[in-house]
Amino acid sequence: MQRSLRRKTIIRAIPETGEIRVDALVRLTGASPITIRRDLTELAEAGVLRRTHGGAARPSKRGIPMPFAMRSDEHQASKRLLAAAAAELIGDDESLIIDNGTTCQAVALALAGRPVTAIALSLHAAAALASIPGASVVVPGGAIENDTLAFSGAQALRAVRDVRVDVAILGACSAAIEEGLTSTNYDDAQVKAACLGAARRSVLVATADKLSRTSTFRFGSAADLTHLVTTSAASDEVIAAFRGAGVQVVVVDDAG
């Protein structure tokens, strides 16, 4: 089993309560006990899980932030479709803020070469936008997170609050409509909330699985969005609920 897939399998196998043992993970993944223990150690260091004697349990917080590289490998085809659909909502010569995260990085790639002015909230998105001449790319500066290369803290928050743009392209850790738009990280939620206030149009780009999850730090509600771009795996009830909140929903068919 590929390393990134094995680690995602480990994370998803951890029960809501209690723990999972190393021997169970060996049977589940086909990896050796040494490999599983090394995975558990590194995932614990990343804050994704908590090591126990002989196994692993969920961390003592709401939401599980997967490492960027693992999230980048997930839903790649769907993210490309989402990115193309989101890029169609942005006109030439418009200004935008593009959020951090793997889905927003895909949108940045889809916009590369377009004549837009973009404030990129991660080095990943900035590099993707600047990979082809055409876009004017600005970064807020300040501290960046080691894993996501996202700009965080007071300087990023101030930079977003000081601008007015046509569009904000947003990601979310979770976006269950009853709970609102949420993140596993407090600073990230503050910056995302500022993005909502800085843009005339706010576009959430999210795979369907995120529309049924929630995390700890709320930064907005469905009513704060103008558009949702999601996949055909989203249920009719979820899509109807977003539309009922006044959101224009764009659904991309990722069945094939």
Side-chain angles (χ1 to χ4, degrees), residues 124-165:
H124 288 298
L129 279 162
S131 62
I132 301 173
S136 174
V137 184
V138 179
V139 295
I144 61 169
E145 296 179 354
N146 290 336
D147 179 49
T148 64
L149 302 185
F151 292 95
S152 62
Q155 191 164 335
L157 185 58
R158 185 167 57 249
V160 172
R161 286 176 173 170
D162 285 346
V163 300
R164 291 295 178 268
V165 297

Side-chain angles (χ1 to χ4, degrees), residues 176-196:
I177 192 163
E178 303 86 355
E179 302 292 339
L181 315 175
T182 55
S183 174
T184 59
N185 181 285
Y186 175 79
D187 287 338
D188 181 55
Q190 295 299 298
V191 174
K192 291 181 191 298
C195 290
L196 290 171

Side-chain angles (χ1 to χ4, degrees), residues 196-208:
L196 290 171
R200 291 193 298 110
R201 308 195 308 275
S202 297
V203 181
L204 176 67
V205 189
T207 50

